[in-house]
Amino acid sequence: MPNKPAAAPRRDRRRAAALLLSTGLWPAWPALAAIAQSRAQAAPAAPNGPATAPAAPADAAPAAEGGRWVHALATFGEPKYPEGYTHFEYVNPDAPKGGVLRLRNPDRRTSFDKFNPFTVRGNAPAGVGLFMFEGLCVASDDEPQTMYGLLAERFLIAPDKSSITFRLHPKARFWNGDPVTAADVKHSFDMLTSKQASPALVQAYAPAGPVTVLDERTVRFGVKDRSTDTLFLIGGLPVFSRKWGAGADGKVKPFDQIVTEYPITTGPCTIAAVDMGRRIEFQRNPDYWAKDHPARRGWFNFDRVVYRMYKDATVAFEAFKTGEYDIYKEYSSRSWVRQHKGPKWDDGRIVKKSFETATGQGLQSHQFNTRRELLQDRRVREAIALAYDFERINRFGLLKRAYSVFNNSEFAAEGLPGPGELKLLEPYRKELPPEVFGPAYRPPSTAGGAAALRRNLLKARGLLEDAGWKLDGDGRLRNAQGRALELEYLNPGETGGRITDWQKNCEKLGITLKERNVDFALYRNRLENYDFDVITIVEGKFSLPNAAGYITSYGSQAADEKGNDNFRGIKSAALDHILKVMGGARTLAELRDCCRAMDRVVMWNHWQVPDVYVSAERASYWNRFGIPQKTPLYFGIDTSGDHSAWPIMCWWKKGEA
């Protein structure tokens, strides 16, 4: 199955993350979504008055030191780029400017009807966030969760993390020429947390504030939960002018009534032309205030960026082949193999490339609802997982088998648990499967063909027999009460046939696995009420795992709260403890131990059947670009989340002077 964007419903806690992701604004996940998700579970604030903290380990966040003006903040250790750096390594600082970049709609939005990306109604085009809005800080793409000042020249973090103060860059300007002031920053925050903004944004920014204007260029934010994640959340605050939405009399409209007015922002581009809903054209601002800023040198090299909206994916791909736009990101392995080829690829006019990234890949899996009586026995869940033939699904050889909550990262469990992991796990030995204390989980394989699948099915049959399931005269499994082992796989959309091979293998064991396709509204409702047996969920990507982001998926409290993300119904005292310790990790080593211990608990309980992940960004592009020599660790092709859309932000057109 292709590793497509998650089909999980976006509850209010996540809509803020989805909103900023869709507009290309940073940060979105995990810093924003995690804060929003962890409101109830956040650690209590420290007492009033100066905090006395223990000495910070070598890889502790500089934020723990506090009390000094800094140019950058790394979650752990020191920022890669020191004071006085000239540019990021994954750009060409002398890239030529010029030319036109043509793009398609990069997500499911096939139209747009507004330019305000922060309100509930309507859709704003992705390019508004990517090319117009900027934050106080910007993330680097070649180190985990680190931010550098952009609109903020420097920032000062209180020793107890109770506040962060920003000193604005003296050159910072909106495209209309007005200087960026502390009052503009406060206005932006006030609007994003007002009743007129998306309710999810209001909730997400709840740990931040109050905001105090100290002078024209200095603004201070309170940090209610005193967490590093909230510092990053505030650092990524998109800033816009107080004049956005003002009428001739100077009076500004209510925020939710600012719809088609062009945003007054500080970014490198302005809107040049619009065919509402169909096409939007951005032009590079020759007076862009940050064109020589070290965090922006070598960026935004096209004179014009044109988005054309396509309603049909097939039509969009055919348009790409004719040269209507320049870059096509591919999600489907089948399409990558079968469609991205032909004379234009053969002669080099179109380049097909898979860009490997270091982005951690969350667990894509088929999740069991353990609230269901039939799925409460771990042996039954393991048996069903043994019937899953990943190698047949991966017949094109482009997908990787998910093996961890933290795929493609150093946070995935390896080998035997180390001392730090055992310290977390030992107090809960009685409740945990014995395998947790052995080698790290690896999913069953059918790489040996039919013989390997047969061995897996024989093992599954033994597990089912041990769990009390017997075959009846019709070849169906029944328990001691005579109940058949019948399950329903719930799938959003009208297209079925996703689990045909899995169904056949389950039938060989006497298990009935039905597939039911429903429209997304019903699917969302059933998930929010935990009314399902088996579903497929894709967890988020990351550069650093964030404990708050996992609480609603793995925390015991969330299992009883409808509308949360603990679809599996997980209740584990061990996981609750690990997540609590993870949230307070002060060093990278501590975080790694927590993640690996968590990984062992989750994977060996067989609460899910691990599916696939893709560690690469796959794209075909017309051979018209200059590309920096170094590729960043974390990036997207045409959309931005925690990190940049590197090709459209840092490449340039060949042949430009």
Side-chain angles (χ1 to χ4, degrees), residues 349-464:
R349 282 177 289 170
I350 297 178
V351 178
K352 174 181 178 179
K353 187 167 182 177
S354 182
F355 296 90
E356 283 293 328
T357 75
T359 305
Q361 304 291 324
L363 180 60
Q364 175 171 323
S365 64
H366 309 298
Q367 297 188 358
F368 297 119
N369 184 0
T370 62
R371 301 171 185 83
R372 304 291 209 218
E373 182 181 352
L374 296 179
L375 292 169
Q376 290 176 357
D377 193 312
R378 186 173 74 100
R379 293 168 293 185
V380 172
R381 300 194 299 267
E382 182 180 0
I384 297 172
L386 285 162
Y388 190 71
D389 189 352
F390 170 76
E391 276 68 26
R392 182 172 176 81
I393 294 170
N394 191 31
R395 53 189 174 274
F396 297 111
L398 297 174
L399 304 173
K400 298 178 181 179
R401 183 75 191 269
Y403 60 93
S404 167
V405 179
F406 310 101
N407 300 287
N408 199 47
S409 80
E410 64 177 306
F411 303 100
E414 295 287 345
L416 296 172
E421 297 171 68
L422 289 173
K423 183 178 179 180
L424 295 164
L425 296 168
E426 281 291 356
Y428 304 93
R429 184 180 279 270
K430 290 184 179 179
E431 83 161 53
L432 297 173
E435 293 91 340
V436 167
F437 297 89
Y441 172 86
R442 290 297 180 266
S445 172
T446 55
L453 176 61
R454 178 176 172 79
R455 285 194 297 270
N456 288 347
L457 294 178
L458 287 173
K459 181 179 179 181
R461 180 158 293 176
L463 288 167
L464 292 165

Side-chain angles (χ1 to χ4, degrees), residues 146-167:
T146 304
M147 65 180 183
Y148 293 80
L150 182 59
L151 290 174
E153 183 181 33
R154 299 281 189 279
F155 45 95
L156 172 70
I157 300 164
D160 61 354
K161 300 185 187 179
S162 61
S163 69
I164 180 169
T165 304
F166 297 93
R167 188 167 64 218

Side-chain angles (χ1 to χ4, degrees), residues 242-243 245-253:
R242 288 169 289 167
K243 295 181 180 179
D249 59 357
K251 186 177 180 180
V252 178
K253 295 180 179 180

